[in-house]
Amino acid sequence: RSQRRALSNKDQHAHAIALSNQVSRLTAFRYSNRVAFYLANDGEIDPSFVIKQAWNMGKKVFLPVLAPLKDQLYFAPYKPDSKMTTNRFGIIEPDCRPDDWLSARQLSLIFLPLVAFDKSGNRLGMGGGFYDRSLAYLRYRNVSKKPHLIGLAHELQQLENIHREKWDIPIDQIITEKRVIHTG
């Protein structure tokens, strides 16, 4: 986390543009209609250019929201004029009724932030397990293939090997400012 926070604003901006170029060529992105993103925080690679692309392509864009009574993520609609609020961790999320939220199963594609990753698709998140709990049904991928999971990170976040716990949900692809890694 300290390495990604140490990137200059100029490098962060360049990585965000390069990320957008990488994503725009992906079949999974082009053919997905309900796409979840995140808003960059703590030095994460910024998907804001990709979000703008998605809006321009007529895609429905969502951001994670933390359910107030359980430690699980849902996904709220996000538009350029969305009213925003801050959750209990200080993370900005759309301010809308829970009736408007979708579960992960209802999405085509989720872009996840990463703290670290390896080439096998193992990842480290922020340690809360929110994505793993929300995507636990994907352990049985022969039943459900949705959504496609893509981790976004700076190239410097790659580690040689990350131990996968039984509750960890692997991702399908990882995209950095330099490349697309297919993990499956």
PDB file of all heavy atoms in Angstrom, residues 151-175:
ATOM      1  N   GLY A 151      -9.472  -7.787 -11.368  1.00  0.00           N
ATOM      2  CA  GLY A 151      -8.751  -6.978 -10.394  1.00  0.00           C
ATOM      3  C   GLY A 151      -7.957  -5.901 -11.105  1.00  0.00           C
ATOM      4  O   GLY A 151      -7.371  -6.145 -12.159  1.00  0.00           O
ATOM      5  N   LEU A 152      -7.944  -4.713 -10.527  1.00  0.00           N
ATOM      6  CA  LEU A 152      -7.201  -3.584 -11.087  1.00  0.00           C
ATOM      7  C   LEU A 152      -6.094  -3.199 -10.113  1.00  0.00           C
ATOM      8  O   LEU A 152      -6.345  -3.064  -8.911  1.00  0.00           O
ATOM      9  CB  LEU A 152      -8.124  -2.386 -11.320  1.00  0.00           C
ATOM     10  CG  LEU A 152      -9.335  -2.623 -12.222  1.00  0.00           C
ATOM     11  CD1 LEU A 152     -10.160  -1.350 -12.349  1.00  0.00           C
ATOM     12  CD2 LEU A 152      -8.920  -3.140 -13.588  1.00  0.00           C
ATOM     13  N   ALA A 153      -4.891  -3.030 -10.638  1.00  0.00           N
ATOM     14  CA  ALA A 153      -3.753  -2.715  -9.774  1.00  0.00           C
ATOM     15  C   ALA A 153      -2.645  -2.056 -10.580  1.00  0.00           C
ATOM     16  O   ALA A 153      -2.595  -2.160 -11.803  1.00  0.00           O
ATOM     17  CB  ALA A 153      -3.221  -3.985  -9.117  1.00  0.00           C
ATOM     18  N   HIS A 154      -1.764  -1.410  -9.866  1.00  0.00           N
ATOM     19  CA  HIS A 154      -0.520  -0.933 -10.465  1.00  0.00           C
ATOM     20  C   HIS A 154       0.399  -2.140 -10.619  1.00  0.00           C
ATOM     21  O   HIS A 154       0.384  -3.065  -9.799  1.00  0.00           O
ATOM     22  CB  HIS A 154       0.164   0.095  -9.549  1.00  0.00           C
ATOM     23  CG  HIS A 154      -0.661   1.307  -9.269  1.00  0.00           C
ATOM     24  ND1 HIS A 154      -0.812   2.332 -10.172  1.00  0.00           N
ATOM     25  CD2 HIS A 154      -1.388   1.657  -8.174  1.00  0.00           C
ATOM     26  CE1 HIS A 154      -1.578   3.273  -9.646  1.00  0.00           C
ATOM     27  NE2 HIS A 154      -1.944   2.880  -8.435  1.00  0.00           N
ATOM     28  N   GLU A 155       1.202  -2.140 -11.639  1.00  0.00           N
ATOM     29  CA  GLU A 155       2.147  -3.241 -11.889  1.00  0.00           C
ATOM     30  C   GLU A 155       3.023  -3.513 -10.661  1.00  0.00           C
ATOM     31  O   GLU A 155       3.323  -4.670 -10.359  1.00  0.00           O
ATOM     32  CB  GLU A 155       3.016  -2.892 -13.103  1.00  0.00           C
ATOM     33  CG  GLU A 155       3.912  -4.003 -13.567  1.00  0.00           C
ATOM     34  CD  GLU A 155       3.188  -5.153 -14.263  1.00  0.00           C
ATOM     35  OE1 GLU A 155       2.087  -4.947 -14.830  1.00  0.00           O
ATOM     36  OE2 GLU A 155       3.733  -6.282 -14.233  1.00  0.00           O
ATOM     37  N   LEU A 156       3.403  -2.489  -9.943  1.00  0.00           N
ATOM     38  CA  LEU A 156       4.287  -2.669  -8.787  1.00  0.00           C
ATOM     39  C   LEU A 156       3.633  -3.454  -7.640  1.00  0.00           C
ATOM     40  O   LEU A 156       4.287  -3.812  -6.674  1.00  0.00           O
ATOM     41  CB  LEU A 156       4.812  -1.322  -8.285  1.00  0.00           C
ATOM     42  CG  LEU A 156       3.811  -0.260  -7.824  1.00  0.00           C
ATOM     43  CD1 LEU A 156       3.288  -0.479  -6.422  1.00  0.00           C
ATOM     44  CD2 LEU A 156       4.445   1.107  -7.937  1.00  0.00           C
ATOM     45  N   GLN A 157       2.351  -3.749  -7.747  1.00  0.00           N
ATOM     46  CA  GLN A 157       1.650  -4.476  -6.697  1.00  0.00           C
ATOM     47  C   GLN A 157       1.739  -6.001  -6.844  1.00  0.00           C
ATOM     48  O   GLN A 157       1.224  -6.729  -6.002  1.00  0.00           O
ATOM     49  CB  GLN A 157       0.179  -4.046  -6.648  1.00  0.00           C
ATOM     50  CG  GLN A 157       0.002  -2.607  -6.209  1.00  0.00           C
ATOM     51  CD  GLN A 157      -1.435  -2.149  -6.292  1.00  0.00           C
ATOM     52  OE1 GLN A 157      -1.784  -1.327  -7.129  1.00  0.00           O
ATOM     53  NE2 GLN A 157      -2.270  -2.688  -5.425  1.00  0.00           N
ATOM     54  N   GLN A 158       2.391  -6.484  -7.898  1.00  0.00           N
ATOM     55  CA  GLN A 158       2.493  -7.931  -8.087  1.00  0.00           C
ATOM     56  C   GLN A 158       3.496  -8.535  -7.109  1.00  0.00           C
ATOM     57  O   GLN A 158       4.588  -8.018  -6.911  1.00  0.00           O
ATOM     58  CB  GLN A 158       2.910  -8.290  -9.512  1.00  0.00           C
ATOM     59  CG  GLN A 158       2.953  -9.804  -9.702  1.00  0.00           C
ATOM     60  CD  GLN A 158       3.180 -10.233 -11.133  1.00  0.00           C
ATOM     61  OE1 GLN A 158       3.136  -9.441 -12.058  1.00  0.00           O
ATOM     62  NE2 GLN A 158       3.411 -11.515 -11.318  1.00  0.00           N
ATOM     63  N   LEU A 159       3.098  -9.655  -6.522  1.00  0.00           N
ATOM     64  CA  LEU A 159       3.966 -10.465  -5.672  1.00  0.00           C
ATOM     65  C   LEU A 159       4.190 -11.805  -6.354  1.00  0.00           C
ATOM     66  O   LEU A 159       3.409 -12.210  -7.227  1.00  0.00           O
ATOM     67  CB  LEU A 159       3.326 -10.684  -4.294  1.00  0.00           C
ATOM     68  CG  LEU A 159       3.055  -9.433  -3.461  1.00  0.00           C
ATOM     69  CD1 LEU A 159       2.335  -9.818  -2.170  1.00  0.00           C
ATOM     70  CD2 LEU A 159       4.336  -8.684  -3.168  1.00  0.00           C
ATOM     71  N   GLU A 160       5.218 -12.511  -5.965  1.00  0.00           N
ATOM     72  CA  GLU A 160       5.515 -13.813  -6.558  1.00  0.00           C
ATOM     73  C   GLU A 160       4.406 -14.817  -6.274  1.00  0.00           C
ATOM     74  O   GLU A 160       3.945 -15.523  -7.158  1.00  0.00           O
ATOM     75  CB  GLU A 160       6.859 -14.335  -6.024  1.00  0.00           C
ATOM     76  CG  GLU A 160       7.320 -15.623  -6.668  1.00  0.00           C
ATOM     77  CD  GLU A 160       7.560 -15.490  -8.171  1.00  0.00           C
ATOM     78  OE1 GLU A 160       7.994 -14.417  -8.626  1.00  0.00           O
ATOM     79  OE2 GLU A 160       7.290 -16.474  -8.893  1.00  0.00           O
ATOM     80  N   ASN A 161       3.981 -14.898  -5.013  1.00  0.00           N
ATOM     81  CA  ASN A 161       2.977 -15.892  -4.644  1.00  0.00           C
ATOM     82  C   ASN A 161       2.187 -15.389  -3.444  1.00  0.00           C
ATOM     83  O   ASN A 161       2.757 -14.888  -2.491  1.00  0.00           O
ATOM     84  CB  ASN A 161       3.658 -17.219  -4.305  1.00  0.00           C
ATOM     85  CG  ASN A 161       2.671 -18.328  -4.075  1.00  0.00           C
ATOM     86  OD1 ASN A 161       1.635 -18.393  -4.718  1.00  0.00           O
ATOM     87  ND2 ASN A 161       2.982 -19.206  -3.138  1.00  0.00           N
ATOM     88  N   ILE A 162       0.879 -15.532  -3.534  1.00  0.00           N
ATOM     89  CA  ILE A 162      -0.005 -15.189  -2.426  1.00  0.00           C
ATOM     90  C   ILE A 162      -0.738 -16.458  -2.032  1.00  0.00           C
ATOM     91  O   ILE A 162      -1.351 -17.123  -2.884  1.00  0.00           O
ATOM     92  CB  ILE A 162      -1.008 -14.084  -2.821  1.00  0.00           C
ATOM     93  CG1 ILE A 162      -0.255 -12.785  -3.131  1.00  0.00           C
ATOM     94  CG2 ILE A 162      -2.043 -13.871  -1.718  1.00  0.00           C
ATOM     95  CD1 ILE A 162      -1.131 -11.681  -3.676  1.00  0.00           C
ATOM     96  N   HIS A 163      -0.662 -16.804  -0.773  1.00  0.00           N
ATOM     97  CA  HIS A 163      -1.350 -17.992  -0.272  1.00  0.00           C
ATOM     98  C   HIS A 163      -2.860 -17.767  -0.335  1.00  0.00           C
ATOM     99  O   HIS A 163      -3.365 -16.747   0.119  1.00  0.00           O
ATOM    100  CB  HIS A 163      -0.923 -18.294   1.167  1.00  0.00           C
ATOM    101  CG  HIS A 163      -1.679 -19.415   1.786  1.00  0.00           C
ATOM    102  ND1 HIS A 163      -1.488 -20.734   1.417  1.00  0.00           N
ATOM    103  CD2 HIS A 163      -2.647 -19.421   2.730  1.00  0.00           C
ATOM    104  CE1 HIS A 163      -2.302 -21.500   2.117  1.00  0.00           C
ATOM    105  NE2 HIS A 163      -3.024 -20.719   2.926  1.00  0.00           N
ATOM    106  N   ARG A 164      -3.586 -18.715  -0.906  1.00  0.00           N
ATOM    107  CA  ARG A 164      -5.034 -18.612  -1.014  1.00  0.00           C
ATOM    108  C   ARG A 164      -5.674 -19.388   0.131  1.00  0.00           C
ATOM    109  O   ARG A 164      -5.428 -20.570   0.302  1.00  0.00           O
ATOM    110  CB  ARG A 164      -5.517 -19.176  -2.351  1.00  0.00           C
ATOM    111  CG  ARG A 164      -7.032 -19.006  -2.521  1.00  0.00           C
ATOM    112  CD  ARG A 164      -7.575 -19.652  -3.763  1.00  0.00           C
ATOM    113  NE  ARG A 164      -6.895 -19.169  -4.951  1.00  0.00           N
ATOM    114  CZ  ARG A 164      -7.060 -19.705  -6.148  1.00  0.00           C
ATOM    115  NH1 ARG A 164      -7.858 -20.732  -6.319  1.00  0.00           N
ATOM    116  NH2 ARG A 164      -6.403 -19.218  -7.171  1.00  0.00           N
ATOM    117  N   GLU A 165      -6.510 -18.711   0.888  1.00  0.00           N
ATOM    118  CA  GLU A 165      -7.300 -19.341   1.942  1.00  0.00           C
ATOM    119  C   GLU A 165      -8.549 -19.945   1.310  1.00  0.00           C
ATOM    120  O   GLU A 165      -8.943 -19.569   0.204  1.00  0.00           O
ATOM    121  CB  GLU A 165      -7.695 -18.309   3.010  1.00  0.00           C
ATOM    122  CG  GLU A 165      -6.523 -17.665   3.721  1.00  0.00           C
ATOM    123  CD  GLU A 165      -5.759 -18.619   4.637  1.00  0.00           C
ATOM    124  OE1 GLU A 165      -6.251 -19.730   4.920  1.00  0.00           O
ATOM    125  OE2 GLU A 165      -4.655 -18.238   5.066  1.00  0.00           O
ATOM    126  N   LYS A 166      -9.194 -20.852   2.021  1.00  0.00           N
ATOM    127  CA  LYS A 166     -10.357 -21.545   1.450  1.00  0.00           C
ATOM    128  C   LYS A 166     -11.510 -20.596   1.146  1.00  0.00           C
ATOM    129  O   LYS A 166     -12.323 -20.870   0.277  1.00  0.00           O
ATOM    130  CB  LYS A 166     -10.813 -22.678   2.365  1.00  0.00           C
ATOM    131  CG  LYS A 166     -11.352 -22.220   3.683  1.00  0.00           C
ATOM    132  CD  LYS A 166     -11.800 -23.387   4.535  1.00  0.00           C
ATOM    133  CE  LYS A 166     -12.341 -22.839   5.845  1.00  0.00           C
ATOM    134  NZ  LYS A 166     -12.901 -23.848   6.670  1.00  0.00           N
ATOM    135  N   TRP A 167     -11.576 -19.463   1.828  1.00  0.00           N
ATOM    136  CA  TRP A 167     -12.654 -18.516   1.608  1.00  0.00           C
ATOM    137  C   TRP A 167     -12.332 -17.478   0.534  1.00  0.00           C
ATOM    138  O   TRP A 167     -13.193 -16.709   0.134  1.00  0.00           O
ATOM    139  CB  TRP A 167     -13.016 -17.804   2.910  1.00  0.00           C
ATOM    140  CG  TRP A 167     -11.859 -17.099   3.537  1.00  0.00           C
ATOM    141  CD1 TRP A 167     -11.356 -15.871   3.208  1.00  0.00           C
ATOM    142  CD2 TRP A 167     -11.031 -17.587   4.584  1.00  0.00           C
ATOM    143  NE1 TRP A 167     -10.270 -15.566   3.982  1.00  0.00           N
ATOM    144  CE2 TRP A 167     -10.047 -16.611   4.850  1.00  0.00           C
ATOM    145  CE3 TRP A 167     -11.011 -18.769   5.332  1.00  0.00           C
ATOM    146  CZ2 TRP A 167      -9.070 -16.768   5.816  1.00  0.00           C
ATOM    147  CZ3 TRP A 167     -10.040 -18.913   6.301  1.00  0.00           C
ATOM    148  CH2 TRP A 167      -9.091 -17.931   6.541  1.00  0.00           C
ATOM    149  N   ASP A 168     -11.086 -17.449   0.063  1.00  0.00           N
ATOM    150  CA  ASP A 168     -10.692 -16.468  -0.950  1.00  0.00           C
ATOM    151  C   ASP A 168     -11.306 -16.798  -2.302  1.00  0.00           C
ATOM    152  O   ASP A 168     -11.248 -17.937  -2.757  1.00  0.00           O
ATOM    153  CB  ASP A 168      -9.168 -16.418  -1.094  1.00  0.00           C
ATOM    154  CG  ASP A 168      -8.488 -15.752   0.084  1.00  0.00           C
ATOM    155  OD1 ASP A 168      -9.141 -14.960   0.786  1.00  0.00           O
ATOM    156  OD2 ASP A 168      -7.290 -16.028   0.291  1.00  0.00           O
ATOM    157  N   ILE A 169     -11.844 -15.797  -2.943  1.00  0.00           N
ATOM    158  CA  ILE A 169     -12.427 -15.954  -4.278  1.00  0.00           C
ATOM    159  C   ILE A 169     -11.401 -15.454  -5.289  1.00  0.00           C
ATOM    160  O   ILE A 169     -11.048 -14.274  -5.289  1.00  0.00           O
ATOM    161  CB  ILE A 169     -13.738 -15.149  -4.413  1.00  0.00           C
ATOM    162  CG1 ILE A 169     -14.753 -15.558  -3.347  1.00  0.00           C
ATOM    163  CG2 ILE A 169     -14.311 -15.300  -5.823  1.00  0.00           C
ATOM    164  CD1 ILE A 169     -15.172 -17.009  -3.391  1.00  0.00           C
ATOM    165  N   PRO A 170     -10.899 -16.349  -6.163  1.00  0.00           N
ATOM    166  CA  PRO A 170      -9.930 -15.903  -7.173  1.00  0.00           C
ATOM    167  C   PRO A 170     -10.608 -15.054  -8.253  1.00  0.00           C
ATOM    168  O   PRO A 170     -11.817 -15.143  -8.463  1.00  0.00           O
ATOM    169  CB  PRO A 170      -9.389 -17.209  -7.751  1.00  0.00           C
ATOM    170  CG  PRO A 170     -10.450 -18.216  -7.479  1.00  0.00           C
ATOM    171  CD  PRO A 170     -11.175 -17.773  -6.244  1.00  0.00           C
ATOM    172  N   ILE A 171      -9.804 -14.248  -8.906  1.00  0.00           N
ATOM    173  CA  ILE A 171     -10.338 -13.396  -9.963  1.00  0.00           C
ATOM    174  C   ILE A 171      -9.967 -13.959 -11.335  1.00  0.00           C
ATOM    175  O   ILE A 171      -9.058 -14.759 -11.464  1.00  0.00           O
ATOM    176  CB  ILE A 171      -9.857 -11.946  -9.781  1.00  0.00           C
ATOM    177  CG1 ILE A 171      -8.355 -11.882  -9.563  1.00  0.00           C
ATOM    178  CG2 ILE A 171     -10.573 -11.284  -8.630  1.00  0.00           C
ATOM    179  CD1 ILE A 171      -7.821 -10.502  -9.281  1.00  0.00           C
ATOM    180  N   ASP A 172     -10.735 -13.549 -12.339  1.00  0.00           N
ATOM    181  CA  ASP A 172     -10.577 -14.081 -13.688  1.00  0.00           C
ATOM    182  C   ASP A 172      -9.428 -13.421 -14.446  1.00  0.00           C
ATOM    183  O   ASP A 172      -8.766 -14.060 -15.255  1.00  0.00           O
ATOM    184  CB  ASP A 172     -11.879 -13.894 -14.479  1.00  0.00           C
ATOM    185  CG  ASP A 172     -13.049 -14.584 -13.805  1.00  0.00           C
ATOM    186  OD1 ASP A 172     -12.954 -15.799 -13.550  1.00  0.00           O
ATOM    187  OD2 ASP A 172     -14.057 -13.908 -13.526  1.00  0.00           O
ATOM    188  N   GLN A 173      -9.240 -12.146 -14.209  1.00  0.00           N
ATOM    189  CA  GLN A 173      -8.195 -11.391 -14.895  1.00  0.00           C
ATOM    190  C   GLN A 173      -7.680 -10.301 -13.969  1.00  0.00           C
ATOM    191  O   GLN A 173      -8.387  -9.882 -13.046  1.00  0.00           O
ATOM    192  CB  GLN A 173      -8.736 -10.727 -16.168  1.00  0.00           C
ATOM    193  CG  GLN A 173      -9.119 -11.691 -17.258  1.00  0.00           C
ATOM    194  CD  GLN A 173      -9.786 -10.971 -18.402  1.00  0.00           C
ATOM    195  OE1 GLN A 173     -10.848 -10.404 -18.257  1.00  0.00           O
ATOM    196  NE2 GLN A 173      -9.135 -10.993 -19.561  1.00  0.00           N
ATOM    197  N   ILE A 174      -6.482  -9.841 -14.262  1.00  0.00           N
ATOM    198  CA  ILE A 174      -5.910  -8.697 -13.573  1.00  0.00           C
ATOM    199  C   ILE A 174      -5.436  -7.733 -14.655  1.00  0.00           C
ATOM    200  O   ILE A 174      -4.823  -8.154 -15.649  1.00  0.00           O
ATOM    201  CB  ILE A 174      -4.724  -9.114 -12.685  1.00  0.00           C
ATOM    202  CG1 ILE A 174      -5.198 -10.084 -11.600  1.00  0.00           C
ATOM    203  CG2 ILE A 174      -4.047  -7.890 -12.060  1.00  0.00           C
ATOM    204  CD1 ILE A 174      -4.106 -10.929 -11.018  1.00  0.00           C
ATOM    205  N   ILE A 175      -5.712  -6.468 -14.448  1.00  0.00           N
ATOM    206  CA  ILE A 175      -5.265  -5.461 -15.404  1.00  0.00           C
ATOM    207  C   ILE A 175      -4.432  -4.431 -14.655  1.00  0.00           C
ATOM    208  O   ILE A 175      -4.839  -3.915 -13.609  1.00  0.00           O
ATOM    209  CB  ILE A 175      -6.442  -4.770 -16.104  1.00  0.00           C
ATOM    210  CG1 ILE A 175      -7.335  -5.806 -16.782  1.00  0.00           C
ATOM    211  CG2 ILE A 175      -5.931  -3.753 -17.125  1.00  0.00           C
ATOM    212  CD1 ILE A 175      -8.574  -5.231 -17.407  1.00  0.00           C
TER     213      ILE A 175
END
